Amino acid sequence: MISKSTLPCDPPLWKNRCLARPGNFAKLRLVPDKDADKSHIPRALKVSGGPEKTLIETSLQKRDSVVIGRGTDCDVVIQDLKASRRHCQLTRSPDGFLLEDLGSRNGTLVNGNKIASPMLLKAGQTFQIGDTMFYLA
């Protein structure tokens, strides 16, 4: 029997789709998954904030850019007093989404640090505006 740990495959790129016969690793053939190389690109933005810590999710699949802030003209409106009217922007790139602070007063945090220039974010990463947490899924 072949265990997953003995196959020379990279699960994120090949999704464990290896074809092999037991004991015959010389004829191992990898079958690529056409969407596997895009698994690091976020498909949704999850927002957790407010006193009751409600979770809101919005799709990013058909959007090239998302502006986040308190202003009613923003794509994602948050009710956080520490957020600016137009706080930050997520812009699609080939490798994920670029997070850019739009000159907010309190800044945009990634891993607890204020960002000074646009930063590339991938699926699974979080960022924070005031008391509101964002998760890219």
Side-chain angles (χ1 to χ4, degrees), residues 69-94:
R70 284 187 302 126
T72 56
D73 61 331
C74 293
D75 299 308
V76 176
V77 177
I78 59 173
Q79 302 300 319
D80 191 319
L81 295 176
K82 296 177 184 173
S84 298
R85 284 186 207 100
R86 290 176 52 87
H87 197 96
C88 66
Q89 180 172 343
L90 285 169
T91 306
R92 182 181 298 279
S93 76

Side-chain angles (χ1 to χ4, degrees), residues 44-57:
L45 176 66
K46 296 181 180 184
V47 185
S48 174
E52 55 278 338
K53 296 291 182 195
T54 56
L55 183 65
I56 301 165
E57 183 173 335

Side-chain angles (χ1 to χ4, degrees), residues 10 14-15 28 35-36 46 48-49 55-56 62 64 72 80 98 101 104 116 121-123 135:
D10 188 2
W14 299 92
K15 291 189 177 180
L28 182 66
D35 293 328
K46 296 181 180 184
S48 174
L55 183 65
I56 301 165
K62 295 182 180 179
D64 291 326
T72 56
D80 191 319
L98 286 173
D101 188 88
S104 67
L121 297 180
K122 297 182 179 182
Y135 175 77

